[in-house]
Amino acid sequence: MSAAGNFHVAIIMDGNGRWAQRRGLPRSAGHVQGAKMVRRVVEASARAGIRTLTLYAFSADNWGRPSPEVDSLLRLLQCYLASETRRCLRNSVRINVIGRRDRLPAGLVRAIEHSELLTAHCTRMRLRIAIDYSSKHSILEAARRASCNGLSAQNFETLLAEVDHSVAGAGPVDLLIRTGGEQRLSDFLLWDCAYAELYFTEALWPDFGEAGLHAALDDFAGRNRRFGKVLAETA
Ligand code: IPE
Ligand code: IPE
Ligand code: MG
């Protein structure tokens, strides 16, 4: 867990397309099923005591998909925010969308701002949803804004959070989960995952479930995190 007890889990929710294709359905059906899984995992995460949950919903590189798929993904995200904000409010979950906003449809930006405003006082869990997110872009943009000498890592992180529209205190990632069987980061939270424990599962995102989350948390509980030091008992 992070120093301040802010347990931060990040998830690369991959495998929606394959889930649909295996059933002879269009890829968009996989995204619809994936959105249902988001709701379940958000609730399970709050119950499990996770303080910050960051979900990779749409990467900057996902703009390169066929436009009907991009459109359906963005529409789905807007629907998700419209339908889940009240539920988050009830569960004291603070919504925060990280990533660029200048390329998103105006309706989606309005929905983001509305969800963030309505849930700004919620304290049980931060739910960060990454949309039009690219870690490399964020780091470059923060570096461009930094442009003065002698900037500390802490101040750089503040700039990075500002670039990302991230609320304060999200902190480094403790556990990064990727579903769908691939073992890569796909430009997600490169700075924040410097000491994250990585967990990869073959489960496709729509099949992940609360059991999948608990399997990942159990695995994490058995890890030895050394942060470059030696463990006390072996020193
Ligand atoms: C993840 O599922 C959702 C997004 C990237 C938006 P994919 O759509 O990448 O599903 P696969 O990897 O093609 O199965
Ligand atoms: C990563 O999945 C992005 C999201 C889950 C939103 P991709 O399916 O886009 O990643 P690659 O192409 O397999 O690296
Ligand atoms: Mg994928």
Side-chain angles (χ1 to χ4, degrees):
M1 225 177 264
S2 312
N6 167 41
F7 185 34
H8 184 170
V9 174
I11 308 183
I12 300 175
M13 309 180 291
D14 199 20
N16 292 349
R18 278 164 286 167
W19 184 93
Q21 276 160 350
R22 283 177 197 175
R23 287 162 178 76
L25 299 168
R27 292 177 58 84
S28 58
H31 296 314
V32 169
Q33 202 62 26
K36 290 183 187 157
M37 186 51 67
V38 171
R39 174 194 293 176
R40 285 180 51 195
V41 170
V42 166
E43 295 195 342
S45 298
R47 281 197 297 275
I50 291 168
R51 298 304 309 280
T52 302
L53 177 68
T54 305
L55 301 177
Y56 206 4
F58 187 86
S59 79
D61 289 322
N62 290 150
W63 289 112
R65 296 188 178 199
S67 63
E69 180 169 351
V70 169
D71 292 347
S72 80
L73 272 167
L74 296 178
R75 260 200 315 274
L76 202 58
L77 284 165
Q78 194 168 331
C79 288
Y80 176 86
L81 289 170
S83 69
E84 294 308 301
T85 298
R86 301 231 160 257
R87 186 186 297 266
C88 285
L89 203 51
R90 275 201 303 279
N91 292 323
S92 192
V93 171
R94 180 174 187 177
I95 297 175
N96 173 212
V97 173
I98 63 168
R100 294 179 65 164
R101 296 191 185 176
D102 57 314
R103 306 191 292 190
L104 299 179
L108 179 54
V109 175
R110 275 197 300 277
I112 291 168
E113 289 170 351
H114 183 68
S115 299
E116 289 186 337
L117 191 69
L118 270 185
T119 61
H121 62 285
C122 297
T123 54
R124 186 174 176 207
M125 186 177 83
R126 289 183 198 89
L127 169 61
R128 299 196 313 163
I129 305 171
I131 303 178
D132 195 6
Y133 179 86
S134 155
S135 221
K136 284 169 73 175
H137 172 270
S138 302
I139 292 169
L140 260 174
E141 179 59 21
R144 198 184 57 76
R145 291 187 197 180
S147 72
C148 54
N149 301 322
L151 191 75
S152 67
Q154 197 183 358
N155 287 343
F156 186 76
E157 278 170 11
T158 306
L159 271 178
L160 201 53
E162 201 177 286
V163 168
D164 281 340
H165 304 97
S166 174
V167 291
V173 173
D174 294 297
L175 170 63
L176 176 94
I177 300 169
R178 180 168 187 144
T179 63
E182 314 292 355
Q183 303 196 357
R184 54 176 172 255
L185 295 180
S186 301
D187 202 9
F188 189 44
L189 302 177
L190 301 184
W191 177 285
D192 323 62
C193 282
Y195 272 99
E197 296 297 325
L198 308 180
Y199 179 88
F200 301 105
T201 169
E202 291 293 325
L204 303 175
W205 173 250
D207 295 328
F208 184 60
E210 187 160 359
L213 178 70
H214 284 289
L217 295 177
D218 287 349
D219 191 274
F220 174 82
R223 305 276 181 106
N224 275 323
R225 303 189 77 194
R226 291 188 286 281
F227 298 97
K229 320 286 193 305
V230 286
L231 292 175
E233 61 266 27
T234 59

